[in-house]
Amino acid sequence: MKATLEEIVLSVLNTARVEGVIKSEAMPPIIIDRPKREEHGDFSTNVAMLMASSEGRKPRDIAEDILSHLGAHEMIEKCEVAGPGFINFFLKESFWHKRLAYIIKAASEFGRVEAGKGKKVQVEFVSANPTGPLHIGHGRGAAVGASLSAILTAAGFDVTREYYINDIGSQMDTLGRSLYHRYNELLGDGIEFPENHYQGDYMKDIARDFITKHGEKYRDASVEDLPKVFTMFARSTILSGIKEDLKDFNVDFDVWTSEASIVERGLVEETIEALRGKGVIYEKDGALWFRTTDFGDDKDRVLIKADGKRTYFASDVAYHMEKLRRGFDKVIDIWGADHHGYQGRIRALFKAFGEDDKRLDIIFIQLVSLLRNGEPVSMSTRGGEFVTLKEVVDEVGKDACRFTFMMRRSDAQLDFDLELVKIQAPENPVYYVQYCHARIMSILTLAKEKGFELSDNADESIVERLKESDEIKLIKKLAAFEEVVEKSAIEMEPHRIAFYLQELAAIFHSFYGRNRVVLDDDKDLTFARMGLSKAVSVVIKNGLAMLGVSAPDKM
RNA sequence: GCGCCUGUAGCUCAGUGGACAGAGCAUCGGCCUCCGAAGCCGAGGGUCGGAGGUUCGACUCCUCUCAGGCGCACCA
């Protein structure tokens, strides 16, 4: 739609210039907008205002000249000059009827756009350390990552959803020791549980499972010479719990990459050598450094510590190097906002290899403050006392939880009060949208019982009885869905879908309040309104699917 | 001290450099003999944190400033 109008305006401008009505050499960008107010038309352009200075004339006069060169067009009802110099376009009803027929026909495919044109994108998200269950903050990242991935897919991108597992290094040693201590504790050795270890009750459960499997076999092992079996057992138990929780949250991954495998494959050494070749590696105080300051970082970063051990950064650099090699056109990392200080050094890697670091997008998920009755709940994994994602999902429901996370931009902080969400659950916006879908399903079922059945290959003749402003308004909103998907994908802002769906539901509910769909004495209008309702249900279903939320037929 | 994020209605939040800044909740007043009232219709409620600047035009861009949050490791 916008593209067509753009072409029309452009050709008019060219004609006007040939005729000498317009003098400027440089053509301003033709921007077609959707005005906020209905009386300003379906679309508008500010092109005349942009040309005012170069033309040295009043914007309204230029707009009038453009209009006078605009001939009749099959989709345009009328155009007018308005306000300071806008040109507003009003499209014909027949155009909207065609759009509606298209939506009904496209059904589950409606909302797929071509913005991505087969470009390969990787979205890495959650990537929580396997040292404990996921908490609510991880849940937000999971919801954003999963929804964004679905939206990018709809927008034509070839998406790989990936989880990076930090399963090596000091925190894994701590994890193993934590299990060791719980194990010995359960076997009756009165050792005091050390500080700075993972104290959560989940470690006791894992220790019990460990005893079930291994008995007292490792009772005589020493902490210093900690058998690897402790670490491996804890890692795999926790990781499978994480996978289960994500699945229950409707979050799937295509690839799970283990940090240990990156290290074992020698990618860290390889990457360091590659960087050395770029002349950005040096030694100081017995450690090996990456001169990230060459690329705008605050300070240089250590890759290999003086004690010979890798830093976490070293394997992360190798991992991102691997991402580059895998040929993604775009790499999207979704991180907790507390990691924002980390982005300079990762971007440094991209820049060191002459990669446009625009290929890397980092989305920061701001803090979720979990509250219960207004009181903050600790979310420290080591502190032991925390509410897991699973507990929250069990309490408020998967759909409400997923949708709630989409109710604000990722870069805004979020208070999540469990008691409040629980109380408000029935009034949560998600139910408003789902209710709209259920209501339409109910209407269509009733219509069917009365003998009205909508044909699958309806053309616009079926919907041309739709003339009411309520009806046209609804069609226009439906037609905008593709633009919303595209915008949401390109801006990487999944919340746009959630807000759109609420607006769509509101317009339908309002339409419903004023009009009957099933009219025993007017078969044609009944079919037309059934088609309209069907289209609304389709868009709601498609949109909710992108958010990982179900569209129930009954509630 | 430096850096990142956020300040919009009583509360929680949307808002593409455009035309009179919008929702939900809360408050108040209406609407079920009629397709689902988890709904609809209406009302009140704003110095877009503040001050400069750019622009024909700024909630939006720039500078400064105030407030809240989060980071500034040879931790992960």
Side-chain angles (χ1 to χ4, degrees):
Chain A
M1 280 174 283
K2 282 188 179 179
T4 314
L5 286 171
E6 239 178 84
E7 284 169 31
I8 293 172
V9 173
L10 192 64
S11 80
V12 167
L13 283 175
N14 282 326
T15 312
R17 188 159 56 178
V18 169
E19 290 180 14
V21 177
I22 286 171
K23 298 178 193 75
S24 319
E25 288 295 317
M27 200 65 85
I30 315 279
I31 296 162
I32 307 290
D33 274 321
R34 269 177 190 274
K36 282 181 202 149
R37 309 180 64 83
E38 272 179 65
E39 59 267 34
H40 293 146
D42 298 318
F43 294 94
S44 75
T45 181
N46 60 354
V47 69
M49 284 138 83
L50 296 177
M51 291 168 71
S53 62
S54 66
E55 287 291 305
R57 300 162 61 205
K58 290 180 186 166
R60 285 196 65 113
D61 292 346
I62 299 169
E64 291 291 354
D65 282 342
I66 293 172
L67 273 197
S68 68
H69 284 73
L70 193 69
H73 190 278
E74 56 171 358
M75 66 191 253
I76 299 173
E77 174 78 30
K78 64 166 179 168
C79 306
E80 63 185 25
V81 177
F86 290 104
I87 299 172
N88 295 337
F89 301 93
F90 296 79
L91 303 190
K92 286 183 182 167
E93 267 179 10
S94 60
F95 171 79
W96 296 113
H97 291 154
K98 272 182 197 155
R99 291 298 298 164
L100 178 56
Y102 168 76
I103 295 167
I104 296 168
K105 209 165 182 175
S108 65
E109 290 298 307
F110 184 67
R112 303 195 80 89
V113 294
E114 308 252 297
K117 287 176 203 150
K119 279 189 198 137
K120 276 182 73 178
V121 181
Q122 182 206 40
V123 183
E124 185 216 317
F125 59 111
V126 187
S127 299
N129 292 353
T131 53
L134 299 178
H135 57 63
I136 191 75
H138 297 128
R140 188 176 185 187
V144 170
S147 299
L148 178 61
S149 297
I151 292 162
L152 288 169
T153 302
F157 289 93
D158 175 8
V159 179
T160 299
R161 298 163 298 177
E162 189 150 330
Y163 188 119
Y164 180 56
I165 311 162
N166 299 124
D167 55 354
I168 194 168
S170 62
Q171 93 278 9
M172 293 309 288
D173 298 339
T174 305
L175 180 69
R177 279 197 305 277
S178 302
L179 176 58
Y180 169 87
H181 284 112
R182 285 296 181 217
Y183 172 73
N184 282 294
E185 192 176 69
L186 285 175
L187 292 178
D189 298 346
I191 317 166
E192 210 177 311
F193 194 82
E195 281 183 25
N196 298 325
H197 279 57
Y198 301 106
Q199 302 179 30
D201 283 341
Y202 64 92
M203 287 307 295
K204 294 180 187 167
D205 296 337
I206 295 170
R208 269 187 279 272
D209 292 346
F210 189 86
I211 291 173
T212 306
K213 187 167 177 197
H214 297 290
E216 304 192 6
K217 204 159 91 185
Y218 296 99
R219 196 169 185 165
D220 299 327
S222 69
V223 199
E224 292 74 29
D225 193 27
L226 187 75
K228 218 180 169 183
V229 66
F230 283 99
T231 305
M232 293 311 291
F233 190 87
R235 171 199 183 275
S236 64
T237 306
I238 290 172
L239 194 58
S240 53
I242 286 174
K243 288 184 177 179
E244 204 172 310
D245 291 352
L246 287 169
K247 205 172 175 216
D248 292 343
F249 198 40
N250 217 351
V251 174
D252 297 308
F253 288 88
D254 304 304
V255 178
W256 297 76
T257 298
S258 130
E259 181 182 358
S261 77
I262 296 279
V263 171
E264 280 158 20
R265 285 161 61 201
L267 295 180
V268 175
E269 289 77 8
E270 244 181 79
T271 304
I272 289 174
E273 284 319 302
L275 286 170
R276 199 188 295 279
K278 298 284 175 189
V280 293
I281 297 292
Y282 66 94
E283 267 184 61
K284 193 182 102 185
D285 304 332
L288 199 67
W289 297 69
F290 176 6
R291 200 183 300 110
T292 53
T293 48
D294 281 3
F295 310 100
D297 197 10
D298 301 338
K299 53 189 84 166
D300 291 344
R301 308 292 173 177
V302 170
L303 292 170
I304 306 292
K305 295 184 261 183
D307 64 5
K309 288 183 178 162
R310 288 176 319 277
T311 58
Y312 167 84
F313 177 54
S315 38
D316 214 15
V317 162
Y319 176 46
H320 279 82
M321 180 85 196
E322 182 65 5
K323 289 188 183 195
L324 277 173
R325 274 191 214 167
R326 284 160 64 191
F328 295 109
D329 297 297
K330 196 195 245 301
V331 169
I332 301 174
D333 285 359
I334 298 182
W335 294 351
D338 53 342
H339 287 72
H340 71 255
Y342 199 77
Q343 74 168 315
R345 62 195 88 167
I346 290 293
R347 289 198 181 282
L349 172 80
F350 280 69
K351 290 177 188 169
F353 286 97
E355 285 293 340
D356 185 357
D357 78 328
K358 295 264 179 347
R359 253 174 88 184
L360 172 67
D361 276 300
I362 304 175
I363 296 177
F364 292 100
I365 306 288
Q366 282 292 333
L367 194 74
V368 180
S369 306
L370 190 63
L371 310 173
R372 190 177 279 283
N373 289 321
E375 293 297 317
V377 178
S378 165
M379 291 205 290
S380 156
T381 310
R382 292 190 188 186
E385 208 180 306
F386 62 92
V387 178
T388 63
L389 173 63
K390 179 179 165 52
E391 286 167 333
V392 172
V393 171
D394 287 348
E395 205 167 308
V396 306
K398 178 206 66 167
D399 286 343
C401 197
R402 287 286 304 254
F403 202 88
T404 298
F405 283 132
M406 289 303 121
M407 288 305 296
R408 49 184 46 63
R409 301 199 320 273
S410 332
D411 51 10
Q413 284 167 236
L414 163 62
D415 282 343
F416 199 108
D417 192 313
L418 285 161
E419 297 305 317
L420 211 61
V421 170
K422 235 185 343 187
I423 293 162
Q424 289 185 341
E427 293 133 19
N428 190 304
V430 68
Y431 296 102
Y432 182 80
V433 176
Q434 287 181 319
Y435 179 71
C436 186
H437 185 269
R439 186 179 233 182
I440 291 170
M441 287 302 118
S442 167
I443 294 167
L444 294 178
T445 303
L446 177 102
K448 194 173 175 181
E449 283 166 11
K450 291 196 172 189
F452 296 100
E453 194 149 6
L454 208 57
S455 161
D456 279 340
N457 48 1
D459 62 18
E460 61 260 38
S461 68
I462 281 194
V463 294
E464 64 193 11
R465 282 287 304 279
L466 301 175
K467 306 272 185 193
E468 301 285 334
S469 65
D470 276 355
E471 297 164 337
I472 301 298
K473 193 176 169 189
L474 207 38
I475 299 173
K476 289 175 180 175
K477 192 69 183 176
L478 288 167
F481 183 55
E482 290 178 324
E483 283 166 39
V484 174
V485 171
E486 186 170 325
K487 185 84 178 170
S488 184
I490 287 168
E491 300 292 326
M492 298 180 290
E493 293 177 337
H495 73 277
R496 289 171 180 275
I497 302 287
F499 282 90
Y500 166 82
L501 291 175
Q502 285 181 90
E503 290 160 11
L504 176 62
I507 298 172
F508 182 82
H509 283 312
S510 174
F511 158 79
Y512 174 87
R514 272 193 271 262
N515 306 279
R516 282 189 66 87
V517 173
V518 182
L519 301 155
D520 296 329
D521 56 352
D522 192 338
K523 198 176 166 188
D524 289 347
L525 190 55
T526 298
F527 275 126
R529 287 182 174 166
M530 282 172 71
L532 181 60
S533 305
K534 175 76 183 167
V536 173
S537 73
V538 158
V539 171
I540 286 178
K541 192 169 187 174
N542 296 354
L544 284 178
M546 291 176 197
L547 304 183
V549 176
S550 67
D553 292 350
K554 283 182 185 159
M555 293 172 68

